[in-house]
Structure formats: structure tokens, C-alpha cells
Amino acid sequence: MIMDPFAKLNSAQRQAATFGAARRDGGWDSSPLLIIAGAGTGKTTTLAHRVAHLCLNNVSPEEILLLTFTRLAAREMVQRSQQMVAAALQFKNSASRTGMPTKIDWVGTFHAVGARLIRQYHETLGLEESFSVLDRGDSAGIMDFERQALGFHKSKDRFPQKATCLDIYSRTVNAQCTLEATLKESFPHFADWHDELKTLFAAYVERKLKQQTLDYDDLLLYWFYLVEDPRIAADISRRFEHILVDEYQDTNRLQAEVIRRIRPDGSGLTVVGDDAQSIYSFRAADVENILDFPDQFPGAEVITLDDNYRSTQEILDCANTLMSQAQRAFDKGLIAARGKGHRPILITVEDEQEEALYLCDQILERREQGVRLWHQAVLFRNSRHTMRLEVELGKRNIPYVKYGGLKYMESAHVKDVMSVLSWADNPRNDVAGFRVLQIVDGIGPATARRACDHLGANNLDFASLASLGGVPSGTQAHWAMIADLMQSLSASSWPGQLEQIVTWYQPHLERIYDHAFPREGDLEQLLQLSNDYSSRRSFLTELALDPPSGSGDLAGPPHIDEDYLVLSTVHSAKGQEWDTVYVQHFSDGTFPNEFAAGDNKKLEEERRLAYVAMTRAKNRLVLVNPFKYFIPEQAKYGDKHVYGTKSRFLTDPVLATIDQTHWTSRSHNETRWDPTVRVDLKNRARAMWT
């Protein structure tokens, strides 16, 4: 018997998925809809069912815009909604409609959709269609080039490094605030450099415009510039009968303003999110976007999902109590579908070393109880917090994966290959060209710079590289090969281009890197990945916007049984779940972070971060609180420790939901030896030779 796929929804999910009313023409109208989806309440399921419901009610998939925050989420949402449409049609025995289109064409991250629209309106913006999208490394490279050109790197005082400059620039753009406000709120130690930074950012923008390159932030900023014109906003709006936005609590002011410009009355707009999981203010995410949604779109319907399918009720009671003390939040109390379970535990240990010993003991004990390592996770606030734990894991031969390492696309050899492709796609991209030319043995920065200038003076014709004078005689053969390669790439079609580049790059890979073999495997993965893309431009754009992770994420190679513990920051853990979750350093100074003290807005985000950590656990939640912390800087004063205090979030009502205990390792329980007992070492040692 074929089941109705919508029958699996609970009442609130069904209400959200089917919200609105049918029109006479068979379409589907709805006023603005805000779905408050608590942790583990089936947010993705509900949103995918809503997409399927729209398609089943004669809304063309081509007229649905679905915005997500990762490429993976977009792919999953499309696949699930298509499966539901097919299942619903089969359930209804609608043979006559089995040929209806179910593929959503406009789906992706804000940045990916922005890039696509900018290419379509490139003439309006004064851009060439061949503009390049820079990854963060290349953006930082341009920032550093201008930083040095302006002489700021020679300052006697501490001028911010290139990565920090890029952070300041990015936050100012995404928060749509003044540079002065960004410095005051987030970078007060660089406030005296306001004028110099403004000059630097102006030069950075000019360089990008000259090179026809866009950084990550430009994809939102230029989309916003487009929809500032009411005519363009209306033209984009007419394309989409329905707009759905996932993880709305993570939108920044720029993203929210783009949505408001496209859909000022909110008709056909559905946003899904959880204000209690808004933890990305460091990326300029603004929780006010979701909190103010009912005020920004009068008449909006608010539907709350609070049936939790992940955690047990004891864990949810702790999380619910924590969030009930928030200054401002949507009312919701998560209700477990899985029963009561075990109460969370707050463990106090002597110091950080004891914390590492305790965690390893508990991890192995849970493993003996049948909970595999990869169903357990240790969550931490900062990667430095895991130093002692990682040493202890190594001693006990416990394999683990740590999230937050070097990404696949950041590997030098991968960036080399991608730079060749980027330069071929946009000859104005001097950052890519500068890197590519210096791969050639014997070519230094001066020759590479002359070559880029020479290319610009010769109408960006790669054939002109062959005529560049002053190339060192010993590298003439290699120079001819790179010139031929670039000319070939600019003239040939996409299929096979990456193979050409890898073939050219192979001898350079072996020359530049000592351990070339594992890097060859990375390039093979890149070749396989390229087969999923129909054009060079889409391949470059998608990988710049949402790069895949690679083996660089592995902090230790998993054993042959492929079972491994997960170590993750709380930020990286959002959206994940494990049977057992241990939260390190659950004390003041970490939860909340010491830099949040005295700032109510930051403290509230810290509360939400603690909530996210708690709600990752399905069956067991363990909070660990060291009594003392080792501080290397204190060693010169004779005291290498400071004393920790219990997290201010652990109020009496929260503690009433938690079991508390103290743990000491076996070595601390052993009887101390009497120091007055003596062995006559000197005489015994001498007696052997007398």
C-alpha cells in the first residue's frame, strides 16, 4: 500500500507545509509565513514538504526561489521535495500528471543565487559577463597587495594584518553599517586606523573593479545594488511566485534587505528558522531579522514547531529552562517524542588535564556500552581548548576527527590548479595570473608582474605571452609551455580543460612538493568533481562559494575499523546530532565568552550558543567544568593557574534539571608517600665501586 507522504507530518508541520489558499487559476496564494522550528523539530522535512505542496498545487518549480546557507542543504531540499512530489502523485494515482516538472531551477545559497543574477544583469551593473569570483585567500591577497602599496605594512604601530583587514571590510559590508561602527563594536583596538583603513578599502574596491573580480561579499552587495532600483526589484520578483528562505536566523542585514526589496509585501514568502540558534554574529548575522519578521511584514502568520524528534525530555528540559531566561525570544517549549531519558550531568574536575582524562575514560566507557565513537562528540568553544585532550587521545590510541582544519580548496597544490583555470576564465584576474606564472621554475615576482602588465597591454590575448622579453634563458622551454597552455584554455571548450592543466602541472607538483603522491589524489578528486559541472565558469563559481572539505579536516587518521570520535566547535556542530555530547570548559569565560561581559547583546548570543551545544545530544549530555585553568602567561609570576567559576547560565532553575558531581582520576586518590622516608642513595651508589 502506498502511503501519503504528508501523513507523516505532525499537526504543526502539516499546517506550515500547507499554509495558504488555492486560487481560481489553480495556483497557491499565501501571506508571509514565519516557521519557528526549534532544534530537532523537523525543519528540513517541513520545508521540503512545503515545496512539494506548492508543486502539487500548480506552482511551477521554475517560479520557486529556495535560498539556503549551504550547497549541501540546497541539494538535500530539492531531492527530498522531488521524492515527495513523486510519492504524492503516486498516492493520488495521478497518472495524468506524472510528467509534471518537479525540478526547482532557482535553488542555492544566497551567494550562489546572487552570482547568477549578477551575471544576468551584468550589463546593468557595468560588469563583463566573464567576471571572476574570488575565494577568501585571493581576496586577502589583493587586500595585502594594496596594504603594502600604501605602505601601511611599514607602520611602527600595529596596523592590522591582511586577514583582519578583510574581516573588518566584510563585517562593514554585510552589517550595512559605517566603518566607524564596525571598529567601535568589534575591533576597538584598531579604531585609530579608521582613516587608513578607509583608504585601503577604497583601493581594494578599485583593484577588484579593474580586474573584474568579485569577492564573496560583493555577491550580496551587488545583488542589493540591483534591487535598490524598484524596476529591477520588480523584474526579479515577477520571476518567483514563492520565495522560501532556510535558516533565516542566520541572515545578515544585507540579505534581509534583499528579500524585503524583492518582496516588500511578503506575499508568497516563507522563512524558516530558530531565533534560539542564532550564533553567527561574528559573520554579521542579525537575530533581529527573525525576531522582527512579524513587524516587518504585517499580517504574517507565525507557526511554531516544538515536537522534538532528536533529544530526550530531560535534555530538553535543561535547554528549555536555559532559553526561558533569555531577554527576548519566541515562546516555545520543546517536547520530546522519545521519552524522558537521562538527566544531563555537570562534572567538576580539578583542572584541564583531569578534564582530558575524564573525557577519555567516559568516551571509552560509552564505547564499551555499545555507543560507537562516531556517535559521540566533544564540543568546544575554541580549538586551543582541545590541546590536552588530543594528547590524551593519542596516548590511548583513540582515533578522532577535528573540524576546523585546513580545507581542501585551501591546499596549495589545489589552489595552483584552480588559479590556472581562473586566469583562463578571466585574464584580468592578476591575482590568479601572478600565482600561476610563479609556478614556473625560474619565474619570480618581477617577471610575473611584467607578464600580467604585458597581457593587459595586448588586449588580454594569451598568445602575446610568448613574445614577452626578458624571460630567463634557462626557463624558456617552460615559459613556452605555459603560454601554449593558457592560449589553448582560452580557445577550447570546457570538457578536458582540467585534465590539460593537471598534465602540465604534474612535473611542477613533483618539483615543488616533497610528498607529491597524496597531493595527486587530491587533484584526481578535483577532476572527478569537475565532471558534475557543465561549464568552466559554473565550476569556478560554485567551488569559490561553497568549497568542499577535504582530508585536511582530519586531525588524526581513523583506524581501519573507520570508527572515530568527533571533536568540533559548537559553531561547526550546528545542524548535527550525536548520541552522546560532552561540552568542554562549561564555565564563565568560555560559556559565556570573557569578551561578552558587560554587553547584553553578546551575552544573549552566548546563551544561544550554549543552547545549541546542549541540543546536539540525543541521549546523554555531559557538561565539564574544570576548577583550575592553566595560563602560560602566569608562569613568570609563580602561579600557573587561575580559578574558574561556574557558568552564569547555570542558574538555580537550570541546575535543578542537572545532576552534579565531582570527578578525580585514580592517581589523585592514591595515598601520598611519606616524604620523611629516606634511601641513602649516595652511599649505596658509591659502594658498588669501592
Side-chain angles (χ1 to χ4, degrees):
M1 180 178 178
I2 300 171
M3 291 288 294
D4 178 4
F6 287 80
K8 298 178 181 179
L9 302 180
N10 63 42
S11 58
Q13 290 174 332
R14 179 180 285 272
Q15 182 187 0
T18 61
F19 176 75
R23 298 196 307 262
R24 289 183 179 180
D25 64 0
W28 198 257
D29 270 337
S30 76
S31 54
L33 173 62
L34 169 60
I35 304 173
I36 298 297
T41 57
K43 168 183 69 70
T44 302
T45 295
T46 304
L47 192 57
H49 275 84
R50 179 150 183 79
V51 172
H53 183 75
L54 294 174
C55 292
L56 289 167
N57 283 275
N58 299 318
V59 177
S60 170
E62 297 174 353
E63 296 178 346
I64 295 175
L65 171 60
L66 177 57
L67 293 165
T68 65
F69 273 79
T70 66
R71 185 173 53 182
L72 181 62
R75 188 183 304 121
E76 180 185 3
M77 202 78 70
V78 170
Q79 290 174 348
R80 290 176 67 171
S81 59
Q82 287 178 311
Q83 290 169 357
M84 287 170 214
V85 169
L89 290 174
Q90 195 173 6
F91 171 74
K92 294 179 179 180
N93 199 22
S94 304
S96 61
R97 298 177 62 191
T98 54
M100 69 175 289
T102 60
K103 181 173 176 56
I104 303 173
D105 186 40
W106 284 89
V107 58
T109 65
F110 270 92
H111 295 85
V113 171
R116 185 173 172 185
L117 286 169
I118 290 168
R119 288 209 193 275
Q120 292 191 1
Y121 289 90
H122 68 94
E123 291 179 320
T124 302
L125 289 166
L127 293 171
E128 294 185 9
E129 190 177 6
S130 62
F131 68 79
S132 299
V133 179
L134 301 168
D135 63 19
R136 184 171 177 81
D138 289 341
S139 299
I142 295 178
M143 185 71 76
D144 196 43
F145 179 86
E146 297 300 336
R147 179 176 171 273
Q148 295 193 40
L150 290 166
F152 295 153
H153 66 299
K154 297 179 180 179
S155 172
K156 294 181 180 179
D157 297 323
R158 184 168 64 109
F159 190 82
Q161 296 290 326
K162 61 181 180 181
T164 305
C165 291
L166 194 60
D167 286 342
I168 296 171
Y169 171 86
S170 179
R171 186 174 182 83
T172 304
V173 170
N174 285 289
Q176 284 294 281
C177 62
T178 63
L179 175 59
E180 183 179 12
T182 297
L183 293 172
K184 181 179 180 180
E185 181 178 344
S186 303
F187 302 89
H189 42 301
F190 294 126
D192 291 342
W193 292 108
H194 174 276
D195 293 345
E196 290 82 359
L197 285 168
K198 198 167 186 178
T199 300
L200 171 61
F201 296 157
Y204 172 68
V205 170
E206 285 299 324
R207 173 67 60 176
K208 289 186 297 176
L209 290 172
K210 179 182 178 182
Q211 294 182 175
Q212 291 283 304
T213 54
L214 278 64
D215 66 21
Y216 203 58
D217 303 314
D218 291 333
L219 299 174
L220 294 181
L221 185 62
Y222 291 6
W223 186 3
F224 172 68
Y225 288 161
L226 278 174
V227 298
E228 272 190 317
D229 188 311
R231 295 166 298 179
I232 301 175
D235 186 55
I236 294 175
S237 181
R238 280 190 294 269
R239 298 170 180 237
F240 308 116
E241 191 171 343
H242 285 266
I243 300 175
L244 299 93
V245 186
D246 192 16
E247 303 284 12
Y248 196 68
Q249 80 279 350
D250 292 335
T251 54
N252 58 43
R253 193 168 298 176
L254 197 55
Q255 291 165 323
E257 188 58 35
V258 165
I259 295 298
R260 285 196 289 269
R261 297 271 179 161
I262 296 175
R263 211 44 131 239
D265 63 351
S267 62
L269 175 62
T270 298
V271 303
V272 184
D274 181 7
D275 55 297
Q277 296 187 68
S278 178
I279 59 174
Y280 293 115
S281 67
F282 66 93
R283 296 179 186 167
D286 190 347
V287 69
E288 302 299 323
N289 290 337
I290 192 168
L291 291 173
D292 291 340
F293 187 88
D295 296 327
Q296 293 167 349
F297 296 97
E301 182 79 8
V302 180
I303 298 174
T304 302
L305 309 182
D306 49 23
D307 286 346
N308 179 284
Y309 298 94
R310 174 188 299 154
S311 306
T312 55
Q313 191 61 52
E314 294 282 12
I315 293 172
L316 296 181
D317 286 346
C318 180
N320 287 338
T321 306
L322 174 70
M323 285 309 299
S324 70
Q325 298 171 1
Q327 291 185 353
R328 187 182 178 205
F330 286 103
D331 291 333
K332 56 182 173 296
L334 299 179
I335 303 170
R338 299 182 50 239
K340 192 172 182 180
H342 300 275
R343 283 166 65 88
I345 304 173
L346 174 64
I347 300 290
T348 301
V349 294
E350 184 72 15
D351 53 31
E352 295 169 282
Q353 182 59 34
E354 287 283 282
E355 180 182 54
L357 295 172
Y358 168 77
L359 287 171
C360 287
D361 278 1
Q362 291 301 302
I363 288 162
L364 292 176
E365 183 177 324
R366 288 293 286 162
R367 184 171 182 265
E368 288 302 311
Q369 294 170 356
V371 181
R372 300 194 65 174
L373 292 178
W374 58 19
H375 292 152
Q376 303 183 60
V378 179
L379 304 186
F380 50 89
R381 182 56 189 274
N382 190 297
S383 61
R384 67 175 181 272
H385 293 165
T386 65
M387 180 180 67
R388 286 176 174 77
L389 175 60
E390 291 185 62
V391 171
E392 191 63 26
L393 290 170
K395 288 179 181 178
R396 303 200 193 192
N397 214 22
I398 301 174
Y400 64 93
V401 170
K402 183 177 179 181
Y403 291 98
L406 184 66
K407 301 300 182 184
Y408 174 71
M409 295 301 294
E410 294 170 357
S411 303
H413 53 293
V414 175
K415 283 189 68 68
D416 285 347
V417 170
M418 292 297 289
S419 293
V420 180
L421 209 57
S422 296
W423 197 28
D425 196 63
N426 179 9
R428 285 191 175 86
N429 188 345
D430 288 351
V431 174
F434 197 66
R435 182 184 188 109
V436 170
L437 293 170
Q438 291 183 84
I439 294 172
V440 179
D441 191 18
I443 299 299
T447 305
R449 174 56 56 199
R450 284 197 303 107
C452 289
D453 293 342
H454 178 79
L455 184 66
N458 285 273
N459 299 317
L460 305 174
D461 182 2
F462 282 116
S464 67
L465 289 177
S467 62
L468 179 71
V471 176
S473 57
T475 194
Q476 287 286 353
H478 292 299
W479 183 259
M481 290 175 68
I482 187 62
D484 288 344
L485 174 66
M486 297 311 301
Q487 186 177 3
S488 173
L489 293 173
S490 65
S492 61
S493 58
W494 163 238
Q497 287 194 4
L498 206 56
E499 287 89 338
Q500 280 184 266
I501 297 171
V502 171
T503 300
W504 167 81
Y505 184 66
Q506 183 66 39
H508 298 289
L509 177 70
E510 295 172 355
R511 172 178 55 83
I512 297 170
Y513 302 106
D514 292 333
H515 304 287
F517 181 72
R519 297 175 188 267
E520 290 174 0
D522 287 343
L523 299 183
E524 182 60 35
Q525 288 184 31
L526 197 64
L527 286 169
Q528 294 176 7
L529 190 62
S530 69
N531 294 328
D532 296 335
Y533 295 87
S534 59
S535 69
R536 178 175 65 195
R537 187 159 297 153
S538 64
F539 178 65
L540 288 167
T541 302
E542 286 295 322
L543 264 63
L545 295 178
D546 195 4
S549 298
S551 57
D553 282 327
L554 301 179
H559 286 183
I560 195 165
D561 59 3
E562 295 186 346
D563 193 15
Y564 49 83
L565 177 72
V566 175
L567 307 184
S568 174
T569 63
V570 180
H571 287 95
S572 296
K574 185 172 170 289
Q576 304 298 317
E577 59 183 42
W578 295 273
D579 175 276
T580 303
V581 169
Y582 311 90
V583 186
Q584 276 192 300
H585 289 20
F586 205 87
S587 56
D588 242 40
T590 306
F591 291 95
N593 184 279
E594 58 186 315
F595 298 111
D599 188 322
N600 286 335
K601 187 176 180 181
K602 291 180 180 178
L603 283 172
E604 285 304 301
E605 177 160 352
E606 293 295 307
R607 181 190 305 279
R608 297 192 294 268
L609 190 71
Y611 171 86
V612 168
M614 292 177 177
T615 53
R616 300 311 94 196
K618 298 168 69 175
N619 294 313
R620 297 291 179 104
L621 172 63
V622 181
L623 311 177
V624 189
N625 175 27
F627 182 60
K628 294 190 296 186
Y629 290 90
F630 177 75
I631 307 294
E633 291 83 356
Q634 298 291 325
K636 59 185 177 182
Y637 301 113
D639 182 6
K640 297 183 180 181
H641 290 85
V642 295
Y643 290 95
T645 57
K646 187 172 59 180
S647 169
R648 70 189 69 185
F649 296 143
L650 296 177
T651 59
D652 288 342
V654 174
L655 286 174
T657 68
I658 296 174
D659 288 336
Q660 302 180 60
T661 187
H662 181 81
W663 185 90
T664 305
S665 67
R666 186 176 295 109
S667 61
H668 279 62
N669 290 328
E670 294 173 352
T671 302
R672 291 195 59 176
W673 184 253
D674 182 355
T676 63
V677 175
R678 292 288 186 267
V679 172
D680 191 355
L681 171 66
K682 293 180 181 178
N683 286 333
R684 290 296 306 274
R686 290 165 181 159
M688 287 186 65
W689 312 106
T690 58

